[in-house]
Structure formats: C-alpha cells, structure tokens
Amino acid sequence: MTNEKNNSLVIGLFGFGVVGQGLYQVLQDVQTANATIKSICVKQKEKLRSLPQHLFTFEPDDLLNDKDINLIVELIDDADAAYQIVKRALLNGKSVVSGNKKMLAHHLDELIEIQKDNSVALLYDASACGSIPVIRNLEEYYDNDLLQSITGILNGSSNFILSRIFQDNWSYADALKHAQELGFAESNPTFDVDGYDSMYKLVILALHGFGTLVDPADVFHYGISTISDHDIRYATEKGRKIKLVAQVTKINGRRFSLFVLPKLITPEEYIYNVEDEYNGVIIEGQFYDKQFMFGKGAGAFPTGSAVLSDITAQKHHYRYEYKKLNFFDPPVVTRNINLEVYLRYHDLLDLSHFDFESISEKYAGPDYHYVIGKIKLETLYNLKNLIRKLNVFIAWTGKLDIND
Ligand code: HSE
C-alpha cells in the first residue's frame, strides 16, 4: 500500500507567464503541498527568466516523456498547442491540470473520453473565475436537478475596466492598458473585452451545471469594446452600472439558453458591487432561490492558488465525474428567447439590421439615439459578425421572455 503522506507530486509545468509564476511562488510558500516543479517548458528562448536556466526547456517531450513527472500543469495561452500537450499527456498516462478555457471549451468531449480510457484525471477549476471554486461546487453540491441558472461576471479584466470607467472616470483605453499591465488581460485582450473569455468559461460551467457541452460557435457573445460616454451617462442617470455578464438559464426543464452581454445592473443585484478584477457568480435553483460566490477572478496569485487547489485535489485522487452528463438527461440548447436590450446607435442604417419583436422606448438626441426593445437571441446570434462592425452598443436590461 502506498503511503498517502509520502505520495509526492512531481510537476512538469508548461508556461511561465503571469499564472505560471504565480503558481511557482504559491508553491514556494505552501509547505504542505508536497509538490515540486521539476521542469518548465517555455516557448521564448531569448526571454530572461527569474529562475535558474536548468529548470527550463523548450522541448515538450522533455516533460511528457519524463518518467519522474507524474503531473502536467498546462498554463500556456495558445489553445491549439495546449490541446496537443494535454491530449498527449493524458494518453501518456499523466494526469493534467489546465487553465486554458478556450482549449477546454473546444475539446472537452474528446478529453473526457481520453480520461476515462486511460484512468487519468484532468482538472481545471482554475480555468473559470480564478480563485472561486465554482466548477467543483457545481460537480459536488449542485449534483441534482434543482439548478435553474448560473449568472455571473466571469471576466476580471473587463470588470476592472468598467470599474475604472464608472468609479474613476478613466478612459476605456487607459483602463484596458492598466488591466494589461496588472496581468489580468489575455495576451490578446479582445478575448476579454469582446466576451470570448466569458463565453468559454460559461460553456465549461454549463457542462458541469447542466450536462451539455455546447459548441462555442453556437453561443452569442458580445462585449464592452464599443461602450461610449453616452452609454455610461445613460446607465448612471438610471442609477445603474454596466457589467459584462454571462448567463446560462434552464428553460421549461428540457431546454437551456446561454449568452454573454453587457448588462445594466441595478443596485439590488448581488453583482452590483463586484468591482475591479473580482468575479461574482449567482446560482439560482428551485426551492433554494439564490446563492452568491465572490472572489478574485484574475491575477497571478488568485489564479495560482486555484491551480494549487487543482494540484492538491489530484493528490487526493479527485476527479470530475461529469455527473450531469453521465447520470442525467442533458437539456438541449435553444436561442428561442427574447431579451430586452438597450441599443445605442448613430445611423438609422445600423438600426435597420436589428429586427426587434417590440420597442418600448425611443430616444433621438443631437449626438446619439437609442431604443429599448425586445429582440430574439436568435436574431442577435445571426448578426454576431456584423454587430462588431457597426457603430452601436448593446446592453441587456435584465428582462428575459421564454418563447419555447
Ligand atoms: N483574462 C482573464 C480575466 C484571466 O480577465 O478574467 C482569468 O481567466
């Protein structure tokens, strides 16, 4: 019998960016983890490193074929390279911790099968909401059919930007630059501000919450990159803030909808006071109403801590059971819902693309115009490529009608 107390983990780490360095530091400070990083595989050969050179390699095989390494931790931002590394490691019989939400959202169906066939585990709580243990909670506590919706601020960078704009009157450009300097943003910040990052995280949460893996291409996501002073003034005058919100909602038992949109938040909502790089997740269920999880969603140490938690979970042989996928009748995704939105526009031609079901308010001023109206999620989805080219900004008012 192996002695659990001496069962040490020898880690092969891929990537030494913000989170990789955060993890290294966290591991130095935690005496009880009994996990050591043996080798780190990085891409940029010229980059000056803060650790001795002998710890680094540029060759993935040095880690993947090393018999001493019993855990691969993948923290790189290239989703395609991450997929190859994770897949090969699992096929090689090594368990993996990954933080790559894009890679996971695109490949979890295959990676779940590989885990099963090779008796290895892939853990990725660090991929969604940084330090908030949302995935493991969905797996373990919400493992019944009562869950109705998950709504949250899942992207720290865009929340940080919106806090600077609303609280400190910063410009969008300055706030984004600062989010990048603090290491919150992805290497391509479009991922953060246009809602891709929130959408990939939402796909992962929907899998663990409802049991269905949705193709990311099927999810409507829209971000904050076209927000203007008009929109900020409109929200402020109405006593609201704008936050980038991701939501997955069960509809009539057998269906569910998911989307990412800026939302006009009222002071009564739990996420109204979620500021800076914090994330907040509201879980709503039949009989228990609402619960709220809150914590830092980005940054070296919060995310490094989440990776450590996945590492120590591996030590105790924890693995996701995908209970909703395996033991429930997973619901089917639908876009047949109506959302009430605020649409700011300047040109009538831009407005003409939006086929509203109904309009309840119209404003036409000297500088800008807006309408408030109900629009099908399907209609927004069909416009998803065009919207990004128009001079408009869209925010959800929070009202949602179910058509199915
Ligand atoms: N860029 C991400 C964010 C990092 O801002 O939330 C954490 O996933």
Side-chain angles (χ1 to χ4, degrees):
M1 208 171 102
T2 52
N3 180 348
E4 276 290 308
K5 283 191 179 163
N6 294 329
N7 185 15
S8 65
L9 286 175
V10 180
I11 296 169
L13 173 62
F14 281 87
F16 201 59
V18 171
V19 182
Q21 292 177 53
L23 170 68
Y24 190 87
Q25 192 59 50
V26 169
L27 271 174
Q28 301 307 300
D29 288 359
V30 176
Q31 302 302 322
T32 51
N34 203 11
T36 47
I37 294 175
K38 183 177 178 194
S39 195
I40 306 169
C41 183
V42 289
K43 201 169 66 180
Q44 286 166 280
K45 295 192 174 157
E46 305 77 30
K47 204 166 168 180
L48 230 84
R49 307 284 170 184
S50 53
L51 296 175
Q53 200 54 43
H54 70 85
L55 275 172
F56 293 95
T57 174
F58 308 107
E59 184 43 65
D61 281 349
D62 288 350
L63 274 57
L64 294 170
N65 296 334
D66 187 326
K67 296 231 171 350
D68 291 343
I69 290 177
N70 53 14
L71 181 68
I72 294 294
V73 176
E74 176 279 304
L75 299 174
I76 64 174
D77 70 350
D78 176 337
D80 294 332
Y83 166 60
Q84 297 301 335
I85 289 162
V86 171
K87 185 174 167 177
R88 282 189 55 208
L90 294 172
L91 288 169
N92 257 6
K94 294 189 198 297
S95 286
V96 176
V97 168
S98 171
N100 198 310
K101 47 254 159 170
K102 180 179 178 188
M103 183 278 289
L104 293 161
H106 281 286
H107 297 290
L108 264 176
D109 47 354
E110 184 190 6
L111 297 175
I112 290 170
E113 287 307 310
I114 296 177
Q115 286 179 73
K116 231 189 290 172
D117 295 346
N118 293 272
S119 302
V120 283
L122 168 63
L123 296 186
Y124 44 83
D125 239 86
S127 68
C129 303
S131 64
I132 311 177
V134 60
I135 297 174
R136 245 180 283 163
N137 268 295
L138 287 171
E139 272 285 306
E140 302 307 326
Y141 184 83
Y142 300 93
D143 61 348
N144 53 52
D145 215 10
L146 300 181
L147 186 67
Q148 288 299 311
S149 69
I150 308 167
T151 307
I153 295 171
L154 310 185
N155 181 261
S157 302
S158 50
N159 205 50
F160 177 87
I161 292 167
L162 291 168
S163 287
R164 293 293 71 75
I165 291 175
F166 274 84
Q167 292 182 332
D168 307 321
N169 291 319
W170 283 28
S171 72
Y172 175 87
D174 284 350
L176 170 59
K177 193 163 163 271
H178 207 53
Q180 287 176 292
E181 284 162 4
L182 290 168
F184 302 151
E186 302 295 309
S187 52
N188 174 4
T190 305
F191 262 58
D192 298 290
V193 296
D194 279 343
Y196 291 90
D197 179 80
S198 301
M199 181 267 285
Y200 294 132
K201 290 168 178 169
L202 186 66
V203 165
I204 296 169
L205 299 191
L207 169 66
H208 289 272
F210 295 105
T212 307
L213 182 62
V214 183
D215 183 342
D218 288 341
V219 186
F220 177 73
H221 63 94
Y222 181 75
I224 58 164
S225 59
T226 58
I227 196 167
S228 75
D229 290 346
H230 305 301
D231 311 314
I232 295 154
R233 201 175 325 124
Y234 172 84
T236 309
E237 281 172 10
K238 303 277 176 197
R240 296 187 179 205
K241 292 177 187 168
I242 295 172
K243 302 227 170 252
L244 185 59
V245 165
Q247 176 161 325
V248 53
T249 312
K250 207 196 260 183
I251 307 221
N252 296 341
R254 304 294 348 121
R255 290 175 188 276
F256 73 110
S257 268
L258 70 173
F259 56 88
V260 177
L261 265 172
K263 186 182 179 198
L264 290 153
I265 308 282
T266 63
E268 291 73 40
E269 292 178 69
Y270 293 160
I271 52 177
Y272 184 82
N273 289 318
V274 174
E275 299 292 358
D276 306 326
E277 74 274 29
Y278 281 83
N279 285 182
V281 183
I282 301 158
I283 292 189
E284 202 165 359
Q286 222 179 328
F287 306 118
Y288 53 77
D289 201 6
K290 284 183 188 144
Q291 293 157 347
F292 183 49
M293 289 192 239
F294 171 74
K296 284 198 171 171
F301 295 129
T303 316
S305 310
V307 176
L308 176 71
S309 192
D310 281 340
I311 290 171
T312 48
Q314 292 269 10
K315 220 168 121 59
H316 299 298
H317 310 294
Y318 177 80
R319 60 181 56 194
Y320 304 130
E321 288 175 68
Y322 300 96
K323 293 196 186 92
K324 293 287 174 64
L325 180 74
N326 292 324
F327 307 121
F328 287 73
D329 245 354
V332 178
V333 72
T334 176
R335 290 189 293 262
N336 191 15
I337 58 170
N338 287 350
L339 299 173
E340 187 185 68
V341 297
Y342 153 94
L343 171 73
R344 186 260 304 151
Y345 65 98
H346 296 260
D347 190 335
L348 273 176
L349 193 62
D350 287 346
L351 177 67
S352 69
H353 296 293
F354 294 85
D355 188 10
F356 279 91
E357 302 299 305
S358 61
I359 288 182
S360 54
E361 197 181 325
K362 274 189 173 182
Y363 169 81
D367 311 332
Y368 81 112
H369 319 297
Y370 72 78
V371 296
I372 308 275
K374 289 189 176 170
I375 193 160
K376 273 207 172 79
L377 179 59
E378 179 71 18
T379 307
L380 288 175
Y381 176 80
N382 290 332
L383 290 170
K384 69 184 169 128
N385 295 325
L386 180 68
I387 284 180
R388 293 183 169 84
K389 296 178 192 133
L390 305 179
N391 183 9
V392 299
F393 179 71
I394 305 167
W396 179 34
T397 66
K399 289 190 185 148
L400 182 156
D401 296 334
I402 291 162
N403 298 323
D404 275 340

